[in-house]
Amino acid sequence: MEKNIFVIGLDDFHLQHIRQVRHVEDYTFHCLLTSEEAISIERYPFDQMLQEAESRLKGFPGSVDAIIEHWDFPSSTLLPILSGRFGLRSPSLEAILKCEHKYWSRLLQQQVLPNLTPRFCAVDPFDDHALEKIDLPFPFWLKPIKSFSSHLGFRIDDENDFRHAIERTRQGIRRVGDAFNDVLKYAELPPEIAEVDGNHCIAEAIASGLQCGVEGYSFRGEPKVHGLIDTVKDAHRWSFTRYEYPSVWPEHVQQRIIEASRHLMAHIGYDNGAWCVEFFWHEDTDELAIVEINPRISQSHSDQFIKVEGASNHQVVIDVALGREPEFCMNAGKYRTAAKFLLRKYNDTVVTRVPDKEEIDAVQSAVEDSLVVLQVQEGMSLSELRNQDSYSFEIANIYLGAQSQRELVDKYRTLAQKLHFEFADGMPVEDIQFEWVKY
C-alpha cells in the first residue's frame, strides 16, 4: 500500500526534489499548509497554524503515515507537536528547541565541546543598558535568539554599530520572536532558558574562516552523517554565495567535524530526525568553531544531492519518519560536484527589469541541467524581500552541476552574465563570488 507522507510548506518547485527519491512509487505526497501559509507570510500565528494543520490531518480520509519538513521555523517546531499528537516518529519538541534556541544551544555546546564554542551571552535588546551588560570585547556578533538566513544578524565593531543594530532589531525582532514565544509555551524549559525568550538576542565572539555544514540524521539513538556541504561566503565574508556539495575541506578536518557533530547531537538527545551542524574552520590556525545547529535537512541542498548522489536528501527524512535505516550516498548522480548559487545585490534599490521567460529558457538550454529561479519582480524594492541577511539581497538562485569545482564556477559565471537585470541605481549585479581550490 502507498504511504501518505505530509510535507509542511510544500510547493510545486520542492515537490520536484522530493520525488527524486528511491521507491517514490510507494509514496503519495500531500501538502500540509502551503508555502504561502507556512513560509512566505508577514507574521507567524503559530497556534492558528497548528490548529489548522491538525484539523487537515484529522479530516484526511486515509492513513497518515509520516510528516516531514525541510524549512526552518515555524515548520521545524510544528513537526514534533503534530507528530506527537498522531503517534508518528520525530524528534521531541525539546530536542528541536535545544537546536533552534541559540542561547540554549550554546549552553549545551559549551558543556560537551567547549573548545569549539565561541564565548557568548544573552542580550535583552529592549534594555537601554544592554551594552554595559555584555561581557565580550568588540568586535562581536549580535543575533536574535531565533531567526533564519542571518536576518537581523550584525557585526558589532563599536558602540555606534551597536546602537544601529539595536534600533533595527527592536523594529523587526517581534515578527519571529513573538511566534517563537508561542512555541516555548508547549515545552518544558529549564529556568535559565525560560528567562531568555524569543525577543532576546545573543552576543557571540567573532569566529571566522571557511564554513561547512554537516548534514546528518539520528535513528534509534545513533547519529550518522550523510553529507558535508560547503557554505561559501562572498569576498567580503558577509553573505552566502553558494552551497557546494561535496565539501572540498581536507579529509582530516572533515573527520573532526563529523565526530564533533555526532558527539553533540548525542549529548542533546536528538533522535528520529535529520539535522545539520555548521562549522567554521580557520585554515591558518586549524581551529574549529560551531556556527549553529539546524534540526532538519536543508531544501537548499536537495538539488546538489540529486546531481551527485542520484537522490534528494529527502530520502533520509522519509526513511527515518517511516522507521527505516536510510540508505543514501550512492554516488549515482550525473556530476561529481554541484552547487546552489545565490546571485546578490548589495544595496537597496528598485528592480526595473528582470530576465523574461525566453531569456531564462535560452540560458538554461545553453548550460545542461541548469536551473534559474528568480527571487525578485520588476517594480519591487529589494527591501521588500523577506528574511534577507543584513548586508545584501538575493536576486536569483542558480542551480548547477559539474565534474570539477573550476568547471562549476565557470558555468556559473557564464550563465549569470547572460541574465539581464536592471535597477534604478543604474548599477549591475556585483560578482564577488569567493573561489576555492581543492586541497
Side-chain angles (χ1 to χ4, degrees), residues 135-182:
D135 60 349
L136 297 174
F138 297 119
F140 58 82
W141 284 105
L142 185 71
K143 312 170 183 177
I145 286 297
K146 179 61 216 162
S147 70
F148 30 75
S149 302
S150 301
H151 183 57
L152 295 179
F154 299 93
R155 178 187 167 104
I156 309 299
D157 287 300
D158 53 36
E159 188 172 341
N160 287 333
D161 283 350
F162 185 80
R163 285 199 298 266
H164 169 74
I166 284 295
E167 181 181 354
R168 291 272 304 276
T169 299
R170 288 175 175 178
Q171 293 171 359
I173 195 171
R174 293 194 184 279
R175 175 176 175 247
V176 174
D178 287 349
F180 197 61
N181 285 341
D182 289 338

CSV table of all heavy atoms in Angstrom, one decimal, residues 135-182:
chain,number,residue,atom,x,y,z
A,135,ASP,N,29.6,41.0,28.3
A,135,ASP,CA,30.9,40.8,28.8
A,135,ASP,C,31.8,40.3,27.7
A,135,ASP,O,32.7,39.4,27.9
A,135,ASP,CB,30.9,39.9,30.0
A,135,ASP,CG,30.3,38.5,29.7
A,135,ASP,OD1,29.8,38.4,28.6
A,135,ASP,OD2,30.5,37.6,30.5
A,136,LEU,N,31.7,40.8,26.5
A,136,LEU,CA,32.6,40.5,25.4
A,136,LEU,C,33.2,41.8,24.8
A,136,LEU,O,32.6,42.8,24.8
A,136,LEU,CB,31.7,39.8,24.2
A,136,LEU,CG,31.0,38.5,24.5
A,136,LEU,CD1,30.2,38.1,23.3
A,136,LEU,CD2,32.0,37.4,24.8
A,137,PRO,N,34.4,41.7,24.4
A,137,PRO,CA,35.1,42.9,23.8
A,137,PRO,C,34.6,43.0,22.3
A,137,PRO,O,34.1,42.1,21.7
A,137,PRO,CB,36.6,42.5,23.8
A,137,PRO,CG,36.6,41.0,23.7
A,137,PRO,CD,35.4,40.5,24.5
A,138,PHE,N,34.7,44.2,21.8
A,138,PHE,CA,34.5,44.4,20.4
A,138,PHE,C,35.6,43.7,19.6
A,138,PHE,O,36.7,43.7,20.1
A,138,PHE,CB,34.5,45.9,20.0
A,138,PHE,CG,33.3,46.7,20.6
A,138,PHE,CD1,33.6,47.8,21.5
A,138,PHE,CD2,32.0,46.4,20.3
A,138,PHE,CE1,32.6,48.5,22.0
A,138,PHE,CE2,31.0,47.2,20.9
A,138,PHE,CZ,31.3,48.2,21.8
A,139,PRO,N,35.4,43.2,18.4
A,139,PRO,CA,34.1,43.1,17.8
A,139,PRO,C,33.3,41.8,18.2
A,139,PRO,O,34.0,40.8,18.7
A,139,PRO,CB,34.4,42.9,16.3
A,139,PRO,CG,35.8,42.2,16.3
A,139,PRO,CD,36.5,42.7,17.5
A,140,PHE,N,32.0,41.8,18.0
A,140,PHE,CA,31.2,40.6,18.3
A,140,PHE,C,30.0,40.6,17.4
A,140,PHE,O,29.7,41.6,16.8
A,140,PHE,CB,30.8,40.5,19.8
A,140,PHE,CG,30.0,41.7,20.3
A,140,PHE,CD1,28.6,41.8,20.1
A,140,PHE,CD2,30.6,42.7,21.0
A,140,PHE,CE1,27.9,42.8,20.6
A,140,PHE,CE2,29.9,43.7,21.5
A,140,PHE,CZ,28.5,43.8,21.3
A,141,TRP,N,29.4,39.4,17.3
A,141,TRP,CA,28.1,39.3,16.6
A,141,TRP,C,26.9,39.5,17.5
A,141,TRP,O,26.9,39.1,18.6
A,141,TRP,CB,28.0,37.9,15.9
A,141,TRP,CG,28.8,37.7,14.7
A,141,TRP,CD1,30.0,37.0,14.6
A,141,TRP,CD2,28.6,38.3,13.4
A,141,TRP,NE1,30.5,37.1,13.3
A,141,TRP,CE2,29.7,37.9,12.5
A,141,TRP,CE3,27.6,39.1,12.8
A,141,TRP,CZ2,29.8,38.2,11.2
A,141,TRP,CZ3,27.7,39.5,11.5
A,141,TRP,CH2,28.8,39.0,10.7
A,142,LEU,N,25.9,40.1,17.0
A,142,LEU,CA,24.6,40.3,17.7
A,142,LEU,C,23.5,39.7,16.8
A,142,LEU,O,23.4,40.1,15.6
A,142,LEU,CB,24.3,41.7,18.0
A,142,LEU,CG,23.1,42.0,18.8
A,142,LEU,CD1,23.3,41.5,20.3
A,142,LEU,CD2,22.6,43.4,18.8
A,143,LYS,N,22.8,38.7,17.3
A,143,LYS,CA,21.8,38.0,16.6
A,143,LYS,C,20.6,37.7,17.5
A,143,LYS,O,20.7,37.6,18.7
A,143,LYS,CB,22.3,36.6,16.1
A,143,LYS,CG,23.7,36.6,15.5
A,143,LYS,CD,24.2,35.1,15.3
A,143,LYS,CE,25.6,35.1,14.8
A,143,LYS,NZ,26.1,33.7,14.7
A,144,PRO,N,19.4,37.6,16.9
A,144,PRO,CA,18.2,37.2,17.6
A,144,PRO,C,18.4,35.8,18.1
A,144,PRO,O,19.1,35.0,17.5
A,144,PRO,CB,17.0,37.3,16.6
A,144,PRO,CG,17.5,38.2,15.6
A,144,PRO,CD,19.0,38.0,15.5
A,145,ILE,N,17.7,35.5,19.2
A,145,ILE,CA,17.7,34.1,19.7
A,145,ILE,C,17.2,33.1,18.7
A,145,ILE,O,17.6,32.0,18.6
A,145,ILE,CB,16.8,34.0,21.0
A,145,ILE,CG1,17.6,34.6,22.2
A,145,ILE,CG2,16.4,32.6,21.3
A,145,ILE,CD1,18.8,33.9,22.6
A,146,LYS,N,16.2,33.6,17.9
A,146,LYS,CA,15.7,32.8,16.8
A,146,LYS,C,15.5,33.7,15.6
A,146,LYS,O,14.7,34.7,15.6
A,146,LYS,CB,14.3,32.2,17.2
A,146,LYS,CG,13.7,31.3,16.1
A,146,LYS,CD,14.6,30.2,15.7
A,146,LYS,CE,14.5,29.8,14.2
A,146,LYS,NZ,15.6,29.0,13.8
A,147,SER,N,16.2,33.3,14.5
A,147,SER,CA,16.0,33.9,13.2
A,147,SER,C,16.4,33.0,12.1
A,147,SER,O,16.8,31.8,12.4
A,147,SER,CB,16.7,35.3,13.1
A,147,SER,OG,18.1,35.1,13.0
A,148,PHE,N,16.5,33.4,10.9
A,148,PHE,CA,17.0,32.5,9.8
A,148,PHE,C,17.5,33.4,8.7
A,148,PHE,O,17.3,34.5,8.6
A,148,PHE,CB,15.9,31.6,9.3
A,148,PHE,CG,14.5,32.1,9.3
A,148,PHE,CD1,14.0,33.1,8.5
A,148,PHE,CD2,13.6,31.6,10.3
A,148,PHE,CE1,12.8,33.6,8.5
A,148,PHE,CE2,12.3,32.1,10.4
A,148,PHE,CZ,11.9,33.1,9.5
A,149,SER,N,18.4,32.7,7.9
A,149,SER,CA,19.1,33.4,6.8
A,149,SER,C,19.8,34.6,7.2
A,149,SER,O,20.0,35.6,6.5
A,149,SER,CB,18.0,33.8,5.7
A,149,SER,OG,17.3,32.7,5.2
A,150,SER,N,20.4,34.5,8.5
A,150,SER,CA,21.2,35.6,9.1
A,150,SER,C,20.4,36.9,9.2
A,150,SER,O,21.0,38.0,9.3
A,150,SER,CB,22.4,35.9,8.2
A,150,SER,OG,23.2,34.7,8.2
A,151,HIS,N,19.0,36.8,9.2
A,151,HIS,CA,18.2,38.0,9.4
A,151,HIS,C,18.4,38.7,10.7
A,151,HIS,O,18.5,38.0,11.7
A,151,HIS,CB,16.7,37.6,9.2
A,151,HIS,CG,15.8,38.8,9.3
A,151,HIS,ND1,15.9,39.9,8.4
A,151,HIS,CD2,14.7,39.0,10.1
A,151,HIS,CE1,14.9,40.7,8.7
A,151,HIS,NE2,14.2,40.2,9.7
A,152,LEU,N,18.6,40.0,10.7
A,152,LEU,CA,18.9,40.8,11.9
A,152,LEU,C,20.2,40.3,12.6
A,152,LEU,O,20.3,40.4,13.8
A,152,LEU,CB,17.7,40.8,12.9
A,152,LEU,CG,16.4,41.5,12.4
A,152,LEU,CD1,15.3,41.4,13.4
A,152,LEU,CD2,16.7,42.9,12.0
A,153,GLY,N,21.1,39.8,11.8
A,153,GLY,CA,22.4,39.5,12.4
A,153,GLY,C,23.4,40.6,12.0
A,153,GLY,O,23.5,41.0,10.9
A,154,PHE,N,24.1,41.1,13.0
A,154,PHE,CA,25.0,42.3,12.8
A,154,PHE,C,26.4,42.0,13.4
A,154,PHE,O,26.5,41.5,14.5
A,154,PHE,CB,24.4,43.5,13.4
A,154,PHE,CG,23.1,43.9,12.9
A,154,PHE,CD1,21.9,43.5,13.5
A,154,PHE,CD2,23.0,44.8,11.8
A,154,PHE,CE1,20.7,43.9,13.0
A,154,PHE,CE2,21.8,45.1,11.3
A,154,PHE,CZ,20.6,44.7,11.9
A,155,ARG,N,27.4,42.4,12.7
A,155,ARG,CA,28.8,42.5,13.3
A,155,ARG,C,28.9,43.8,14.0
A,155,ARG,O,28.6,44.9,13.4
A,155,ARG,CB,29.8,42.4,12.2
A,155,ARG,CG,31.3,42.5,12.7
A,155,ARG,CD,32.3,42.6,11.6
A,155,ARG,NE,33.6,43.0,12.1
A,155,ARG,CZ,34.6,42.1,12.3
A,155,ARG,NH1,34.5,40.9,12.0
A,155,ARG,NH2,35.8,42.6,12.8
A,156,ILE,N,29.3,43.8,15.3
A,156,ILE,CA,29.4,45.0,16.1
A,156,ILE,C,30.8,45.3,16.3
A,156,ILE,O,31.5,44.6,17.1
A,156,ILE,CB,28.6,44.8,17.4
A,156,ILE,CG1,27.2,44.3,17.2
A,156,ILE,CG2,28.6,46.1,18.2
A,156,ILE,CD1,26.3,45.2,16.4
A,157,ASP,N,31.3,46.4,15.7
A,157,ASP,CA,32.7,46.8,15.9
A,157,ASP,C,32.9,47.9,16.9
A,157,ASP,O,34.0,48.1,17.4
A,157,ASP,CB,33.3,47.3,14.6
A,157,ASP,CG,33.5,46.1,13.6
A,157,ASP,OD1,34.3,45.2,14.0
A,157,ASP,OD2,33.0,46.1,12.5
A,158,ASP,N,31.8,48.6,17.2
A,158,ASP,CA,31.9,49.7,18.2
A,158,ASP,C,30.5,50.1,18.7
A,158,ASP,O,29.5,49.5,18.3
A,158,ASP,CB,32.6,51.0,17.6
A,158,ASP,CG,31.9,51.4,16.3
A,158,ASP,OD1,30.7,51.3,16.1
A,158,ASP,OD2,32.7,51.9,15.4
A,159,GLU,N,30.4,51.1,19.5
A,159,GLU,CA,29.2,51.5,20.2
A,159,GLU,C,28.2,52.0,19.1
A,159,GLU,O,27.0,51.8,19.2
A,159,GLU,CB,29.4,52.6,21.2
A,159,GLU,CG,28.2,52.9,22.0
A,159,GLU,CD,28.5,53.8,23.2
A,159,GLU,OE1,29.7,53.9,23.6
A,159,GLU,OE2,27.6,54.5,23.7
A,160,ASN,N,28.6,52.7,18.1
A,160,ASN,CA,27.7,53.2,17.0
A,160,ASN,C,27.1,52.0,16.3
A,160,ASN,O,25.9,52.0,16.0
A,160,ASN,CB,28.5,54.0,16.0
A,160,ASN,CG,28.8,55.4,16.6
A,160,ASN,OD1,28.2,55.9,17.5
A,160,ASN,ND2,29.9,56.0,16.1
A,161,ASP,N,27.9,51.0,16.0
A,161,ASP,CA,27.3,49.8,15.4
A,161,ASP,C,26.2,49.2,16.3
A,161,ASP,O,25.2,48.7,15.8
A,161,ASP,CB,28.4,48.7,15.1
A,161,ASP,CG,29.3,49.0,13.9
A,161,ASP,OD1,28.9,50.0,13.2
A,161,ASP,OD2,30.3,48.3,13.8
A,162,PHE,N,26.5,49.1,17.6
A,162,PHE,CA,25.5,48.5,18.5
A,162,PHE,C,24.2,49.3,18.5
A,162,PHE,O,23.1,48.7,18.4
A,162,PHE,CB,26.1,48.4,19.9
A,162,PHE,CG,25.2,47.7,20.9
A,162,PHE,CD1,25.2,46.3,20.9
A,162,PHE,CD2,24.4,48.4,21.7
A,162,PHE,CE1,24.4,45.7,21.8
A,162,PHE,CE2,23.6,47.8,22.6
A,162,PHE,CZ,23.6,46.4,22.7
A,163,ARG,N,24.3,50.6,18.5
A,163,ARG,CA,23.1,51.4,18.5
A,163,ARG,C,22.3,51.2,17.3
A,163,ARG,O,21.1,51.1,17.3
A,163,ARG,CB,23.5,52.9,18.7
A,163,ARG,CG,23.9,53.3,20.1
A,163,ARG,CD,23.8,54.8,20.4
A,163,ARG,NE,24.7,55.5,19.5
A,163,ARG,CZ,25.9,55.9,19.8
A,163,ARG,NH1,26.4,55.6,21.0
A,163,ARG,NH2,26.7,56.6,18.9
A,164,HIS,N,23.0,51.2,16.1
A,164,HIS,CA,22.3,51.0,14.9
A,164,HIS,C,21.6,49.6,14.9
A,164,HIS,O,20.5,49.4,14.4
A,164,HIS,CB,23.3,51.1,13.7
A,164,HIS,CG,22.8,50.6,12.4
A,164,HIS,ND1,21.8,51.3,11.6
A,164,HIS,CD2,23.0,49.4,11.7
A,164,HIS,CE1,21.5,50.6,10.6
A,164,HIS,NE2,22.2,49.5,10.6
A,165,ALA,N,22.3,48.6,15.3
A,165,ALA,CA,21.8,47.2,15.3
A,165,ALA,C,20.6,47.1,16.2
A,165,ALA,O,19.6,46.4,15.9
A,165,ALA,CB,22.9,46.2,15.7
A,166,ILE,N,20.7,47.7,17.4
A,166,ILE,CA,19.6,47.6,18.4
A,166,ILE,C,18.3,48.3,17.8
A,166,ILE,O,17.2,47.8,18.0
A,166,ILE,CB,20.0,48.2,19.7
A,166,ILE,CG1,20.9,47.3,20.5
A,166,ILE,CG2,18.8,48.6,20.6
A,166,ILE,CD1,20.3,46.0,20.9
A,167,GLU,N,18.5,49.4,17.1
A,167,GLU,CA,17.4,50.1,16.5
A,167,GLU,C,16.7,49.2,15.5
A,167,GLU,O,15.5,49.0,15.5
A,167,GLU,CB,17.8,51.4,15.9
A,167,GLU,CG,16.7,52.2,15.3
A,167,GLU,CD,17.1,53.5,14.6
A,167,GLU,OE1,18.3,53.8,14.8
A,167,GLU,OE2,16.3,54.1,14.0
A,168,ARG,N,17.5,48.6,14.6
A,168,ARG,CA,16.9,47.7,13.6
A,168,ARG,C,16.3,46.4,14.3
A,168,ARG,O,15.2,46.0,13.9
A,168,ARG,CB,18.0,47.2,12.7
A,168,ARG,CG,18.6,48.3,11.8
A,168,ARG,CD,17.8,48.4,10.5
A,168,ARG,NE,17.7,47.1,9.8
A,168,ARG,CZ,18.7,46.7,8.9
A,168,ARG,NH1,19.8,47.4,8.7
A,168,ARG,NH2,18.5,45.5,8.3
A,169,THR,N,16.9,45.9,15.3
A,169,THR,CA,16.4,44.7,16.0
A,169,THR,C,15.1,45.0,16.7
A,169,THR,O,14.2,44.2,16.6
A,169,THR,CB,17.5,44.2,17.0
A,169,THR,OG1,18.7,43.9,16.3
A,169,THR,CG2,17.0,43.0,17.8
A,170,ARG,N,15.0,46.1,17.4
A,170,ARG,CA,13.7,46.4,18.0
A,170,ARG,C,12.6,46.6,17.1
A,170,ARG,O,11.5,46.2,17.4
A,170,ARG,CB,13.9,47.7,18.8
A,170,ARG,CG,14.8,47.6,20.1
A,170,ARG,CD,15.0,49.0,20.8
A,170,ARG,NE,15.7,48.8,22.0
A,170,ARG,CZ,16.1,49.8,22.8
A,170,ARG,NH1,15.8,51.1,22.4
A,170,ARG,NH2,16.8,49.6,23.9
A,171,GLN,N,12.9,47.0,15.9
A,171,GLN,CA,11.8,47.2,14.9
A,171,GLN,C,11.4,45.8,14.3
A,171,GLN,O,10.2,45.7,13.9
A,171,GLN,CB,12.3,48.1,13.7
A,171,GLN,CG,12.6,49.5,14.1
A,171,GLN,CD,13.3,50.3,13.0
A,171,GLN,OE1,13.6,49.8,12.0
A,171,GLN,NE2,13.5,51.6,13.3
A,172,GLY,N,12.3,44.9,14.2
A,172,GLY,CA,12.0,43.7,13.5
A,172,GLY,C,11.9,42.3,14.2
A,172,GLY,O,11.5,41.3,13.7
A,173,ILE,N,12.4,42.3,15.5
A,173,ILE,CA,12.6,41.0,16.2
A,173,ILE,C,11.3,40.4,16.5
A,173,ILE,O,11.2,39.1,16.5
A,173,ILE,CB,13.4,41.2,17.4
A,173,ILE,CG1,13.9,39.8,17.9
A,173,ILE,CG2,12.7,42.0,18.5
A,173,ILE,CD1,15.0,39.9,19.0
A,174,ARG,N,10.2,41.1,16.7
A,174,ARG,CA,9.0,40.5,17.2
A,174,ARG,C,8.3,39.7,16.1
A,174,ARG,O,7.4,38.8,16.4
A,174,ARG,CB,8.0,41.6,17.7
A,174,ARG,CG,8.5,42.2,19.0
A,174,ARG,CD,7.4,43.0,19.7
A,174,ARG,NE,7.9,43.8,20.9
A,174,ARG,CZ,8.1,43.2,22.1
A,174,ARG,NH1,7.8,41.9,22.2
A,174,ARG,NH2,8.6,43.9,23.1
A,175,ARG,N,8.6,39.9,14.9
A,175,ARG,CA,8.0,39.1,13.8
A,175,ARG,C,8.2,37.6,14.0
A,175,ARG,O,7.2,36.9,13.9
A,175,ARG,CB,8.6,39.5,12.4
A,175,ARG,CG,8.0,38.7,11.3
A,175,ARG,CD,8.5,39.1,9.9
A,175,ARG,NE,8.1,38.2,8.9
A,175,ARG,CZ,8.9,37.4,8.2
A,175,ARG,NH1,10.2,37.5,8.4
A,175,ARG,NH2,8.4,36.6,7.3
A,176,VAL,N,9.4,37.2,14.3
A,176,VAL,CA,9.6,35.8,14.6
A,176,VAL,C,9.6,35.6,16.1
A,176,VAL,O,9.1,34.5,16.6
A,176,VAL,CB,11.0,35.4,14.1
A,176,VAL,CG1,11.4,34.0,14.5
A,176,VAL,CG2,11.0,35.5,12.5
A,177,GLY,N,10.1,36.5,16.9
A,177,GLY,CA,10.2,36.3,18.4
A,177,GLY,C,8.9,36.0,19.1
A,177,GLY,O,8.8,35.2,19.9
A,178,ASP,N,7.8,36.8,18.7
A,178,ASP,CA,6.5,36.5,19.3
A,178,ASP,C,6.0,35.1,19.0
A,178,ASP,O,5.5,34.4,19.9
A,178,ASP,CB,5.5,37.5,18.8
A,178,ASP,CG,5.7,38.9,19.4
A,178,ASP,OD1,6.5,39.0,20.4
A,178,ASP,OD2,5.1,39.9,18.9
A,179,ALA,N,6.2,34.7,17.7
A,179,ALA,CA,5.8,33.3,17.4
A,179,ALA,C,6.6,32.3,18.1
A,179,ALA,O,6.1,31.2,18.5
A,179,ALA,CB,5.9,33.1,15.9
A,180,PHE,N,7.9,32.5,18.2
A,180,PHE,CA,8.8,31.6,18.9
A,180,PHE,C,8.3,31.5,20.4
A,180,PHE,O,8.4,30.4,21.0
A,180,PHE,CB,10.2,32.0,18.8
A,180,PHE,CG,11.2,31.0,19.2
A,180,PHE,CD1,11.3,29.8,18.4
A,180,PHE,CD2,12.1,31.1,20.2
A,180,PHE,CE1,12.2,28.8,18.7
A,180,PHE,CE2,13.0,30.1,20.5
A,180,PHE,CZ,13.1,29.0,19.8
A,181,ASN,N,7.9,32.6,21.0
A,181,ASN,CA,7.4,32.5,22.4
A,181,ASN,C,6.1,31.6,22.5
A,181,ASN,O,5.9,30.9,23.5
A,181,ASN,CB,7.1,33.9,22.9
A,181,ASN,CG,8.4,34.7,23.2
A,181,ASN,OD1,9.4,34.1,23.4
A,181,ASN,ND2,8.3,36.0,23.3
A,182,ASP,N,5.3,31.7,21.4
A,182,ASP,CA,4.1,30.8,21.4
A,182,ASP,C,4.5,29.3,21.4
A,182,ASP,O,3.9,28.5,22.1
A,182,ASP,CB,3.3,31.1,20.1
A,182,ASP,CG,2.6,32.4,20.2
A,182,ASP,OD1,2.4,33.0,21.3
A,182,ASP,OD2,2.2,33.0,19.1
